[in-house]
Amino acid sequence: MKKLLATFTMFIILIVNIFTWNLKSTQYKNEFQNLYTYKDSLNQLTNSKYDLNSYLWGGLSLQYFLYKHSDITKNDEANVLWNKLKGNQNLSQEYYYMSLMSSLITISIYGMTSYQEFFAESYTKWTSTNDEAKNKSWELVNYYFLNIYPVLKNTISGYINNDKMMKVIDEDFEKDTSKALIYETNKQTKEMKATDLNYDTDDQVGFSNNKENTRYPYASNALYLAYLSSVNNGNLSFNYGNSYITSSESLKFYYNSINSDDFAKLTVFMNDTYTKASNESITNYNNLISSNEKKFQDFSDMNSYFLEHTSSKTTKKGANIFLEDSINDMANYYSWSDSRKEKFKKQFLDLINATLSITNLYSLNETNKEAFTYNIISIIFSPDTDIVDQSGKNTGVMGYTSMAGNLESSNEDALGVYFSYIVYNGEAFNLDTKNGIDSAKQEYVNNWWSSANIFTTLNHEMGHAVDSFLGENNNIYKSMNSAYNSLINQYPIAEGSKPLYKGKVFGFDGNTYENDFDGNKIIFIVLGVAVGISIIIGVTAVLISKRKTNLKTPK
């Protein structure tokens, strides 16, 4: 074991043949644009044993869980729609229903983009929905993160194994408390109001929203995505980003005789969304962020931990994560009130405490809730109007989560995600400052985002990191734990040949930057994604656009 550990440690310190995957939150202005650019001619990953998406499978597991906890297979209209699909004998009915349920539970057009974005939007829903708006859908997502994710992490982390993943969920479903938690697609009554859920009207809520005058009618896109999901059969590389449809007319190419009656019946699917989450489920979540068992009792405690945990001899700041200085500098830059700054700190504190609670590696006898902190090597906030990537080029994005790992080793224990870090554009946290218009709320009622929270990007990007943690197997984790300090020193914030970020960083040099913030630039902001891969050898980095693949998820 010592020899194996030493091998992994050396492997990580050298960082030879690792990939970096950037999940970026794209800023849009007056028109939604295509989210992806693929370069199919680039095939540098052809010889890789596994596709990198095979290590980012949290979204797939969550979709199977939601499907299992529903009565969708007994819904007459769902079966009618399935039977209207052209050529459905060659399609996967299970993935069709999984997709429908996922779009029903996590209402987010952006979350439809991929399994990875669905996971991040669901994580946002889980960690940023206010208590008053927590409903049956939130309760299901809450149960998954409290009871399913930790078991998956401690039993099959690393490369996706469909059989084992489904077994964990199926066995949990045998419990009385689990079996009783079912989303009823046939429910005929509503308990809450649209306003209770932070919408303005009923016709803004998920499947009830299919207005042709909107950019992307939600119900139509949910049906088209369900069709494509049944074609792709659980392929973790499947991407819906270029497929959004703007009219229900497009569905006639895939469904026979689909009509207005079908869409009217789909609105009934939403009724259980108006069911209030149980008091027990809300209490269970709040215990993560308020009980004495949480990792950090206050923001100061959390700040001190990360200063020591990421202490570095190679950066003048002395650490790779310096939350207090970063947030204070950012608050000054955007002229935040004290109450707004404290609200942001509280949301960050709650987010970290919830995250550390579900990522505890009890299978390794680690009960201190610190395991996930060895996956994160930095959290960066930038005043750059257009934050930059690792090469220093502008990205046009509001934030990204960068992940590093190995896809090329002949040793399967060395394959997977190694670490990640997050870069936030400060403008992402000022969505409600343009003429009193709350852009986050606008995107929520338009069904683009899963949460109306004004700091939603904070939680979304953390969701990507939590997804990546499933792709880090226990052997890699042990090595990361051992080599963490060396890695921190090798990758400083802004200095040296391999800085994590080549732009400005809030709180880095002790000076407040001159404010050139323009609220007009964030009227239309969506959590899009630009995905890239970087093969790093020594200090040389080559950025490669992610290419399309047709690989099916192996079982």
Side-chain angles (χ1 to χ4, degrees):
M1 178 58 71
K2 289 183 178 180
K3 181 178 180 181
L4 177 61
L5 180 60
T7 300
F8 275 111
T9 302
M10 179 180 69
F11 199 93
I12 294 173
I13 293 175
L14 293 178
I15 313 298
V16 176
N17 288 334
I18 69 172
F19 69 79
T20 300
W21 184 21
N22 294 320
L23 294 165
K24 304 178 180 180
S25 305
T26 307
Q27 172 181 313
Y28 287 80
K29 298 184 181 178
N30 294 325
E31 291 290 336
F32 293 117
Q33 305 168 18
N34 289 336
L35 301 185
Y36 302 92
T37 301
Y38 293 101
K39 296 182 180 178
D40 294 326
S41 60
L42 294 175
N43 59 3
Q44 282 87 340
L45 290 180
T46 300
N47 295 323
S48 294
K49 185 167 185 180
Y50 299 125
D51 175 70
L52 62 89
N53 291 297
S54 297
Y55 296 89
L56 301 169
W57 48 269
L60 180 63
S61 70
L62 177 54
Q63 289 199 7
Y64 179 71
F65 168 84
L66 296 175
Y67 159 74
K68 188 79 175 180
H69 284 258
S70 76
D71 64 359
I72 188 71
T73 60
K74 299 177 182 178
N75 185 289
D76 290 341
E77 178 59 22
N79 291 321
V80 166
L81 289 168
W82 166 254
N83 288 322
K84 285 187 176 186
L85 272 181
K86 298 177 180 179
N88 65 10
Q89 66 274 12
N90 298 316
L91 306 178
S92 168
Q93 188 172 16
E94 186 172 53
Y95 282 107
Y96 180 82
Y97 289 145
M98 283 170 59
S99 178
L100 271 185
M101 281 308 306
S102 299
S103 297
L104 180 59
I105 298 299
T106 298
I107 302 174
S108 169
I109 295 175
Y110 177 66
M112 295 180 182
T113 304
S114 65
Y115 287 111
Q116 293 77 29
E117 296 305 331
F118 171 74
F119 186 91
E121 278 298 283
S122 297
Y123 202 76
T124 303
K125 178 184 183 76
W126 180 52
T127 54
S128 68
T129 299
N130 58 291
D131 283 357
E132 292 73 21
K134 288 176 178 175
N135 58 359
K136 173 71 76 65
S137 298
W138 178 88
E139 183 169 359
L140 283 160
V141 173
N142 181 57
Y143 187 95
Y144 168 87
F145 281 115
L146 293 185
N147 299 281
I148 303 298
Y149 179 94
V151 179
L152 294 174
K153 176 58 192 170
N154 281 276
T155 56
I156 53 173
S157 59
Y159 182 68
I160 176 63
N161 185 310
N162 268 358
D163 289 340
K164 290 184 178 180
M165 177 267 286
M166 292 179 180
K167 182 180 179 181
V168 166
I169 294 170
D170 291 345
E171 289 180 348
D172 181 85
F173 193 68
E174 294 302 313
K175 302 174 183 177
D176 290 340
T177 53
S178 179
K179 192 177 297 184
L181 183 57
I182 298 293
Y183 187 98
E184 300 176 35
T185 59
N186 291 296
K187 188 172 183 178
Q188 298 300 309
T189 59
K190 298 177 181 178
E191 299 177 13
M192 303 170 72
K193 299 178 181 178
T195 51
D196 296 329
L197 301 173
N198 293 322
Y199 296 99
D200 298 320
T201 58
D202 286 331
D203 63 1
Q204 294 175 335
V205 186
F207 288 179
S208 300
N209 180 0
N210 202 53
K211 297 183 289 292
E212 296 293 329
N213 62 342
T214 58
R215 181 66 174 173
Y216 300 120
Y218 192 81
S220 293
N221 276 279
L223 289 178
Y224 185 40
L225 174 63
Y227 160 72
L228 292 178
S229 297
S230 69
V231 172
N232 284 275
N233 199 32
N235 175 9
L236 285 165
S237 294
F238 167 60
N239 188 285
Y240 187 66
N242 279 334
S243 303
Y244 298 121
I245 59 177
T246 58
S247 171
S248 60
E249 288 294 311
S250 302
L251 293 176
K252 294 181 179 179
F253 291 101
Y254 312 99
Y255 290 83
N256 291 309
S257 304
I258 193 166
N259 53 54
S260 58
D261 287 342
D262 291 315
F263 288 107
K265 291 176 181 177
L266 274 175
T267 63
V268 176
F269 286 43
M270 300 308 306
N271 287 346
D272 212 11
T273 296
Y274 292 82
T275 301
K276 181 70 176 176
S278 68
N279 290 331
E280 181 182 7
S281 67
I282 296 174
T283 298
N284 288 341
Y285 176 79
N286 287 338
N287 284 341
L288 295 184
I289 61 178
S290 61
S291 72
N292 291 331
E293 295 180 3
K294 63 185 179 182
K295 172 61 180 175
F296 302 116
Q297 295 302 312
D298 53 42
F299 186 87
S300 177
D301 183 23
M302 180 172 69
N303 179 65
S304 297
Y305 171 84
F306 280 110
L307 283 174
E308 180 179 355
H309 183 63
T310 66
S311 62
S312 171
K313 299 177 181 178
T314 57
T315 175
K316 65 179 182 180
K317 189 64 183 178
N320 269 15
I321 299 179
F322 35 94
L323 299 175
E324 184 77 44
D325 289 350
S326 295
I327 295 173
N328 285 342
D329 198 7
M330 181 167 63
N332 290 333
Y333 183 79
Y334 295 112
S335 300
W336 283 2
S337 64
D338 287 342
S339 61
R340 186 184 183 91
K341 180 174 69 172
E342 292 307 310
K343 181 178 181 179
F344 184 85
K345 288 182 175 180
K346 177 65 164 56
Q347 183 162 324
F348 202 179
L349 175 66
D350 291 346
L351 175 63
I352 294 297
N353 275 326
T355 298
L356 296 186
S357 293
I358 68 168
T359 53
N360 178 17
L361 281 176
Y362 57 79
S363 60
L364 298 179
N365 296 319
E366 297 202 9
T367 58
N368 55 8
K369 297 183 180 180
E370 295 180 1
F372 181 74
T373 66
Y374 289 92
N375 175 269
I376 295 285
I377 65 170
S378 189
I379 300 173
I380 297 168
F381 299 89
S382 175
D384 292 335
T385 302
D386 190 356
I387 58 177
V388 299
D389 61 19
Q390 291 168 312
S391 67
K393 295 180 180 179
N394 294 116
T395 60
V397 305
M398 298 301 290
Y400 60 82
T401 302
S402 184
M403 306 166 192
N406 183 291
L407 292 177
E408 302 290 342
S409 175
S410 59
N411 183 346
E412 292 197 11
D413 286 337
L415 292 169
V417 176
Y418 283 24
F419 62 84
S420 61
Y421 67 92
I422 300 173
V423 178
Y424 290 110
N425 185 330
E427 292 187 11
F429 309 124
N430 292 273
L431 301 180
D432 57 340
T433 59
K434 169 62 178 173
N435 297 327
I437 297 175
D438 187 341
S439 296
K441 173 67 179 296
Q442 282 187 326
E443 298 296 357
Y444 175 72
V445 299
N446 289 336
N447 293 172
W448 192 258
W449 285 344
S450 65
S451 171
N453 186 280
I454 61 174
F455 303 135
T456 183
T457 303
L458 181 71
N459 301 60
H460 179 95
E461 295 302 333
M462 189 62 67
H464 281 309
V466 172
D467 191 14
S468 79
F469 196 47
L470 282 176
E472 179 182 323
N473 66 49
N474 286 350
N475 286 319
I476 291 176
Y477 168 75
K478 292 175 184 177
S479 299
M480 280 299 306
N481 191 309
S482 176
Y484 188 78
N485 290 337
S486 297
L487 189 65
I488 290 293
N489 284 313
Q490 187 176 2
Y491 287 94
I493 291 289
E495 304 100 330
S497 59
K498 291 183 290 186
L500 293 178
Y501 189 70
K502 293 185 177 181
K504 299 174 182 177
V505 178
F506 279 126
F508 179 71
D509 56 10
N511 297 318
T512 300
Y513 295 103
E514 182 179 352
N515 189 344
D516 57 359
F517 171 63
D518 182 358
N520 289 303
K521 296 178 180 177
I522 60 170
I523 298 176
F524 293 95
I525 299 176
V526 298
L527 293 178
V529 62
V531 180
I533 298 169
S534 174
I535 306 298
I536 303 177
I537 302 177
V539 295
T540 303
V542 180
L543 295 181
I544 307 169
S545 295
K546 179 177 179 289
R547 60 188 177 87
K548 285 184 177 178
T549 66
N550 295 313
L551 298 176
K552 292 186 178 180
T553 304
K555 292 188 177 181

